[in-house]
Short mmCIF file of all heavy atoms in Angstrom, two decimals:
data_model
loop_
_atom_site.label_atom_id
_atom_site.label_comp_id
_atom_site.label_asym_id
_atom_site.label_seq_id
_atom_site.Cartn_x
_atom_site.Cartn_y
_atom_site.Cartn_z
N ALA A 79 -11.74 4.04 -2.73
CA ALA A 79 -12.15 3.39 -3.98
C ALA A 79 -10.98 3.20 -4.94
O ALA A 79 -11.10 2.45 -5.92
CB ALA A 79 -13.24 4.21 -4.67
N SER A 80 -9.85 3.82 -4.65
CA SER A 80 -8.72 3.77 -5.58
C SER A 80 -8.16 2.35 -5.69
O SER A 80 -7.86 1.69 -4.69
CB SER A 80 -7.61 4.72 -5.11
OG SER A 80 -6.44 4.52 -5.87
N GLY A 81 -7.96 1.90 -6.91
CA GLY A 81 -7.35 0.60 -7.16
C GLY A 81 -5.86 0.59 -6.88
O GLY A 81 -5.24 -0.48 -6.89
N GLU A 82 -5.28 1.76 -6.62
CA GLU A 82 -3.85 1.85 -6.32
C GLU A 82 -3.53 1.49 -4.87
O GLU A 82 -2.37 1.30 -4.52
CB GLU A 82 -3.36 3.28 -6.58
CG GLU A 82 -3.60 3.80 -7.98
CD GLU A 82 -3.29 5.29 -8.07
OE1 GLU A 82 -2.99 5.90 -7.03
OE2 GLU A 82 -3.34 5.83 -9.18
N VAL A 83 -4.56 1.44 -4.01
CA VAL A 83 -4.35 1.34 -2.56
C VAL A 83 -4.66 -0.06 -2.07
O VAL A 83 -5.72 -0.63 -2.36
CB VAL A 83 -5.23 2.37 -1.83
CG1 VAL A 83 -5.18 2.17 -0.32
CG2 VAL A 83 -4.82 3.80 -2.21
N ASP A 84 -3.73 -0.64 -1.28
CA ASP A 84 -3.94 -1.94 -0.64
C ASP A 84 -4.49 -1.80 0.77
O ASP A 84 -5.30 -2.60 1.22
CB ASP A 84 -2.62 -2.72 -0.56
CG ASP A 84 -1.99 -2.98 -1.91
OD1 ASP A 84 -2.72 -3.41 -2.83
OD2 ASP A 84 -0.77 -2.75 -2.05
N VAL A 85 -3.96 -0.83 1.52
CA VAL A 85 -4.30 -0.67 2.93
C VAL A 85 -4.49 0.81 3.24
O VAL A 85 -3.77 1.66 2.71
CB VAL A 85 -3.19 -1.29 3.83
CG1 VAL A 85 -1.83 -0.72 3.53
CG2 VAL A 85 -3.52 -1.10 5.31
N VAL A 86 -5.47 1.10 4.08
CA VAL A 86 -5.77 2.48 4.44
C VAL A 86 -5.43 2.70 5.90
O VAL A 86 -5.84 1.94 6.78
CB VAL A 86 -7.26 2.80 4.20
CG1 VAL A 86 -7.59 4.22 4.67
CG2 VAL A 86 -7.61 2.64 2.72
N TYR A 87 -4.66 3.75 6.14
CA TYR A 87 -4.35 4.18 7.51
C TYR A 87 -5.37 5.23 7.91
O TYR A 87 -5.44 6.30 7.31
CB TYR A 87 -2.93 4.74 7.56
CG TYR A 87 -2.54 5.38 8.87
CD1 TYR A 87 -2.59 4.66 10.07
CD2 TYR A 87 -2.11 6.70 8.92
CE1 TYR A 87 -2.22 5.25 11.27
CE2 TYR A 87 -1.73 7.30 10.11
CZ TYR A 87 -1.79 6.57 11.28
OH TYR A 87 -1.42 7.16 12.46
N ILE A 88 -6.18 4.90 8.93
CA ILE A 88 -7.25 5.78 9.39
C ILE A 88 -6.69 6.69 10.46
O ILE A 88 -6.43 6.26 11.59
CB ILE A 88 -8.44 4.97 9.94
CG1 ILE A 88 -8.88 3.88 8.97
CG2 ILE A 88 -9.58 5.91 10.32
CD1 ILE A 88 -9.48 4.38 7.68
N ALA A 89 -6.52 7.98 10.14
CA ALA A 89 -5.90 8.93 11.06
C ALA A 89 -6.83 10.08 11.43
O ALA A 89 -6.38 11.12 11.92
CB ALA A 89 -4.61 9.47 10.45
N SER A 90 -8.12 9.88 11.21
CA SER A 90 -9.11 10.90 11.56
C SER A 90 -9.34 10.92 13.07
O SER A 90 -8.84 10.05 13.79
CB SER A 90 -10.41 10.61 10.81
OG SER A 90 -10.82 9.27 11.01
N PRO A 91 -10.10 11.89 13.60
CA PRO A 91 -10.40 11.89 15.04
C PRO A 91 -11.08 10.60 15.48
O PRO A 91 -11.76 9.93 14.70
CB PRO A 91 -11.33 13.10 15.19
CG PRO A 91 -10.96 14.01 14.07
CD PRO A 91 -10.62 13.09 12.93
N ALA A 92 -10.90 10.26 16.76
CA ALA A 92 -11.40 8.99 17.28
C ALA A 92 -12.89 8.80 17.07
O ALA A 92 -13.36 7.68 16.83
CB ALA A 92 -11.06 8.88 18.76
N SER A 93 -13.63 9.88 17.13
CA SER A 93 -15.09 9.79 16.96
C SER A 93 -15.48 9.33 15.56
O SER A 93 -16.62 8.91 15.35
CB SER A 93 -15.74 11.15 17.25
OG SER A 93 -15.17 12.16 16.41
N GLU A 94 -14.54 9.40 14.60
CA GLU A 94 -14.83 9.02 13.22
C GLU A 94 -14.15 7.73 12.79
O GLU A 94 -14.28 7.31 11.63
CB GLU A 94 -14.42 10.17 12.29
CG GLU A 94 -15.14 11.48 12.57
CD GLU A 94 -14.73 12.57 11.60
OE1 GLU A 94 -15.09 12.48 10.41
OE2 GLU A 94 -14.02 13.50 12.04
N HIS A 95 -13.40 7.11 13.68
CA HIS A 95 -12.64 5.92 13.29
C HIS A 95 -13.51 4.80 12.74
O HIS A 95 -13.16 4.18 11.73
CB HIS A 95 -11.84 5.40 14.49
CG HIS A 95 -10.63 6.22 14.81
ND1 HIS A 95 -9.84 5.98 15.91
CD2 HIS A 95 -10.07 7.28 14.16
CE1 HIS A 95 -8.85 6.86 15.92
NE2 HIS A 95 -8.98 7.66 14.89
N VAL A 96 -14.61 4.53 13.40
CA VAL A 96 -15.45 3.41 12.95
C VAL A 96 -16.09 3.73 11.60
O VAL A 96 -16.08 2.88 10.69
CB VAL A 96 -16.52 3.08 14.00
CG1 VAL A 96 -17.51 2.06 13.45
CG2 VAL A 96 -15.85 2.52 15.26
N VAL A 97 -16.62 4.92 11.44
CA VAL A 97 -17.25 5.30 10.17
C VAL A 97 -16.25 5.19 9.03
O VAL A 97 -16.54 4.61 7.97
CB VAL A 97 -17.81 6.74 10.25
CG1 VAL A 97 -18.25 7.23 8.87
CG2 VAL A 97 -18.99 6.79 11.22
N HIS A 98 -15.06 5.70 9.24
CA HIS A 98 -14.06 5.68 8.16
C HIS A 98 -13.46 4.30 7.99
O HIS A 98 -13.12 3.90 6.86
CB HIS A 98 -12.97 6.72 8.45
CG HIS A 98 -13.48 8.12 8.43
ND1 HIS A 98 -12.92 9.14 9.15
CD2 HIS A 98 -14.53 8.67 7.75
CE1 HIS A 98 -13.58 10.25 8.93
NE2 HIS A 98 -14.55 10.00 8.09
N GLY A 99 -13.32 3.55 9.07
CA GLY A 99 -12.86 2.18 8.94
C GLY A 99 -13.84 1.33 8.16
O GLY A 99 -13.44 0.56 7.28
N LEU A 100 -15.12 1.48 8.45
CA LEU A 100 -16.14 0.73 7.72
C LEU A 100 -16.16 1.12 6.24
O LEU A 100 -16.41 0.28 5.36
CB LEU A 100 -17.52 0.96 8.35
CG LEU A 100 -17.72 0.36 9.74
CD1 LEU A 100 -19.07 0.81 10.32
CD2 LEU A 100 -17.65 -1.16 9.69
N LEU A 101 -15.91 2.40 5.96
CA LEU A 101 -15.87 2.87 4.57
C LEU A 101 -14.75 2.16 3.81
O LEU A 101 -14.97 1.67 2.69
CB LEU A 101 -15.62 4.39 4.57
CG LEU A 101 -15.60 5.09 3.21
CD1 LEU A 101 -17.01 5.16 2.63
CD2 LEU A 101 -15.04 6.51 3.37
N ALA A 102 -13.57 2.07 4.41
CA ALA A 102 -12.45 1.41 3.75
C ALA A 102 -12.68 -0.09 3.63
O ALA A 102 -12.37 -0.71 2.60
CB ALA A 102 -11.16 1.70 4.51
N ILE A 103 -13.22 -0.69 4.66
CA ILE A 103 -13.49 -2.13 4.64
C ILE A 103 -14.50 -2.47 3.55
O ILE A 103 -14.33 -3.46 2.82
CB ILE A 103 -14.00 -2.59 6.03
CG1 ILE A 103 -12.84 -2.56 7.04
CG2 ILE A 103 -14.62 -3.97 5.96
CD1 ILE A 103 -13.28 -2.67 8.48
N ALA A 104 -15.54 -1.66 3.43
CA ALA A 104 -16.54 -1.89 2.39
C ALA A 104 -15.94 -1.81 1.00
O ALA A 104 -16.45 -2.44 0.05
CB ALA A 104 -17.69 -0.89 2.53
N ALA A 105 -14.85 -1.07 0.87
CA ALA A 105 -14.16 -0.96 -0.42
C ALA A 105 -13.14 -2.08 -0.60
O ALA A 105 -12.40 -2.08 -1.60
CB ALA A 105 -13.48 0.40 -0.53
N GLY A 106 -13.07 -3.01 0.34
CA GLY A 106 -12.16 -4.14 0.22
C GLY A 106 -10.74 -3.87 0.62
O GLY A 106 -9.82 -4.62 0.26
N LYS A 107 -10.53 -2.82 1.41
CA LYS A 107 -9.18 -2.44 1.81
C LYS A 107 -8.86 -2.96 3.22
O LYS A 107 -9.71 -2.99 4.10
CB LYS A 107 -9.03 -0.91 1.80
CG LYS A 107 -9.26 -0.27 0.44
CD LYS A 107 -8.27 -0.77 -0.60
CE LYS A 107 -8.32 0.03 -1.89
NZ LYS A 107 -9.52 -0.23 -2.71
N HIS A 108 -7.60 -3.36 3.43
CA HIS A 108 -7.11 -3.62 4.77
C HIS A 108 -7.04 -2.28 5.51
O HIS A 108 -6.89 -1.22 4.88
CB HIS A 108 -5.72 -4.24 4.73
CG HIS A 108 -5.64 -5.49 3.88
ND1 HIS A 108 -6.37 -6.62 4.16
CD2 HIS A 108 -4.91 -5.77 2.77
CE1 HIS A 108 -6.10 -7.55 3.27
NE2 HIS A 108 -5.22 -7.06 2.41
N VAL A 109 -7.13 -2.32 6.84
CA VAL A 109 -7.12 -1.07 7.59
C VAL A 109 -6.21 -1.14 8.81
O VAL A 109 -6.17 -2.15 9.51
CB VAL A 109 -8.54 -0.64 8.03
CG1 VAL A 109 -9.39 -0.26 6.83
CG2 VAL A 109 -9.22 -1.71 8.86
N LEU A 110 -5.50 -0.05 9.03
CA LEU A 110 -4.80 0.22 10.28
C LEU A 110 -5.48 1.44 10.87
O LEU A 110 -5.42 2.53 10.29
CB LEU A 110 -3.32 0.49 10.02
CG LEU A 110 -2.49 0.86 11.25
CD1 LEU A 110 -2.42 -0.30 12.24
CD2 LEU A 110 -1.07 1.30 10.85
N VAL A 111 -6.13 1.27 12.01
CA VAL A 111 -6.94 2.33 12.60
C VAL A 111 -6.22 2.90 13.81
O VAL A 111 -5.87 2.17 14.74
CB VAL A 111 -8.32 1.79 13.03
CG1 VAL A 111 -9.21 2.93 13.51
CG2 VAL A 111 -8.98 1.04 11.89
N GLU A 112 -6.02 4.22 13.78
CA GLU A 112 -5.35 4.84 14.93
C GLU A 112 -6.09 4.51 16.22
O GLU A 112 -7.29 4.29 16.23
CB GLU A 112 -5.27 6.36 14.76
CG GLU A 112 -3.89 6.89 14.51
CD GLU A 112 -2.81 6.32 15.41
OE1 GLU A 112 -3.04 6.20 16.65
OE2 GLU A 112 -1.74 5.98 14.92
N LYS A 113 -5.34 4.48 17.32
CA LYS A 113 -5.94 4.21 18.60
C LYS A 113 -6.54 5.49 19.19
O LYS A 113 -6.00 6.57 18.92
CB LYS A 113 -4.92 3.60 19.55
CG LYS A 113 -3.59 4.25 19.37
CD LYS A 113 -2.72 4.24 20.54
CE LYS A 113 -2.00 5.54 20.65
NZ LYS A 113 -2.21 6.56 19.74
N PRO A 114 -7.59 5.35 19.95
CA PRO A 114 -8.38 4.14 20.12
C PRO A 114 -9.11 3.78 18.82
O PRO A 114 -9.54 4.67 18.08
CB PRO A 114 -9.38 4.51 21.22
CG PRO A 114 -9.56 5.99 21.06
CD PRO A 114 -8.21 6.51 20.64
N ALA A 115 -9.24 2.49 18.56
CA ALA A 115 -9.89 2.06 17.32
C ALA A 115 -11.33 2.54 17.25
O ALA A 115 -11.88 2.71 16.16
CB ALA A 115 -9.86 0.53 17.21
#
Side-chain angles (χ1 to χ4, degrees):
S80 171
E82 303 171 355
V83 172
D84 301 313
V85 56
V86 176
Y87 173 58
I88 310 293
S90 52
S93 57
E94 300 182 70
H95 285 175
V96 172
V97 170
H98 295 152
L100 291 174
L101 183 72
I103 288 167
K107 299 299 190 287
H108 306 298
V109 292
L110 177 65
V111 186
E112 250 315 316
K113 39 153 219 1

